[in-house]
Amino acid sequence: SHQVLVKHLLPNMVGLWVFGVGLHDDVGRGNFLATYFSSGVLAMLGTLCYGVASNTLNLTSLGASGAMYGLCGAYLWMHRLDHFKIFGFPPGNSEGISGLVLLAVAGGLNIGYAMTPMRFKVDVTSHLVGMLVGVLAGHWMEKKREEKEQEELLEKQRSEEFRMTIGAAVIVLLILFIL
């Protein structure tokens, strides 16, 4: 599989560079590694389960495509409403392609592979399971970030209320002292 540099290893490395760096910057090292390894392991287990269930254990699977698709899925899910230009396309002042559309295209291409003879050469199950795990991880990380932001906002409000209460108490004491 990875013996063919241009067909497999290079696209995986480009995907890891494009999506991995962005995801790492967004979520940090721990969440990045958790997403990478969980996507890879669950993608491999998904392939194994599919192979056993369909009696098709004749596909050789080598590499970390499921993990890379997991990083892609997480990044694109977390940026599903953002717009991306790919090699300057679409040209001009147009917004670009949304992350959700890119995610759908990646999934659709893999589903398309599953319906062609390529299914015997490409571990589509690993790609799709890895992407699904990545989307779920991205959703979970978004929720955790929102919870943290809500807690920080609540803490800021409590701190402000405390300062106002102390300020009011000082004013009352000053008034009582003057009287």
Side-chain angles (χ1 to χ4, degrees):
S1 175
H2 289 92
Q3 306 86 301
V4 183
L5 179 70
V6 177
K7 288 185 178 179
H8 201 137
L9 185 61
L10 188 61
N12 276 351
M13 293 299 103
V14 169
L16 185 60
W17 174 56
V18 169
F19 296 105
V21 171
L23 184 65
H24 181 274
D25 290 347
D26 285 350
V27 302
R29 182 178 301 137
N31 286 330
F32 173 84
L33 289 172
T35 302
Y36 183 82
F37 287 121
S38 63
S39 296
V41 168
L42 292 173
M44 181 270 307
L45 288 174
T47 294
L48 181 62
C49 289
Y50 177 76
V52 169
S54 64
N55 198 24
T56 56
L57 289 173
N58 57 353
L59 175 67
T60 302
S61 181
L62 172 68
S65 296
M68 195 279 303
Y69 269 90
L71 297 179
C72 271
Y75 183 80
L76 290 173
W77 181 257
M78 294 178 77
H79 294 273
R80 63 190 173 276
L81 301 178
D82 294 347
H83 292 85
F84 300 90
K85 289 194 174 214
I86 302 169
F87 302 116
F89 178 80
N93 293 331
S94 60
E95 289 185 320
I97 303 166
S98 76
L100 193 57
V101 169
L102 291 173
L103 192 59
V105 166
L109 286 173
N110 276 283
I111 291 169
Y113 272 142
M115 297 176 193
T116 68
M118 286 297 292
R119 71 180 176 273
F120 300 114
K121 295 181 180 182
V122 176
D123 189 358
V124 174
T125 305
S126 177
H127 295 177
L128 292 173
V129 171
M131 192 171 3
L132 176 63
V133 171
V135 166
L136 293 173
H139 181 72
W140 179 79
M141 289 184 283
E142 277 184 332
K143 293 299 175 197
K144 287 295 182 188
R145 181 183 293 167
E146 289 171 7
E147 287 174 9
K148 184 179 178 184
E149 288 171 356
Q150 284 287 65
E151 191 163 311
E152 288 172 355
L153 180 62
L154 188 59
E155 183 63 32
K156 185 177 177 182
Q157 288 172 341
R158 287 180 186 150
S159 176
E160 192 172 307
E161 289 171 359
F162 179 74
R163 284 193 303 267
M164 290 177 68
T165 302
I166 294 296
V170 167
I171 291 172
V172 167
L173 287 173
L174 284 173
I175 291 172
L176 289 175
F177 182 72
I178 292 175
L179 296 176

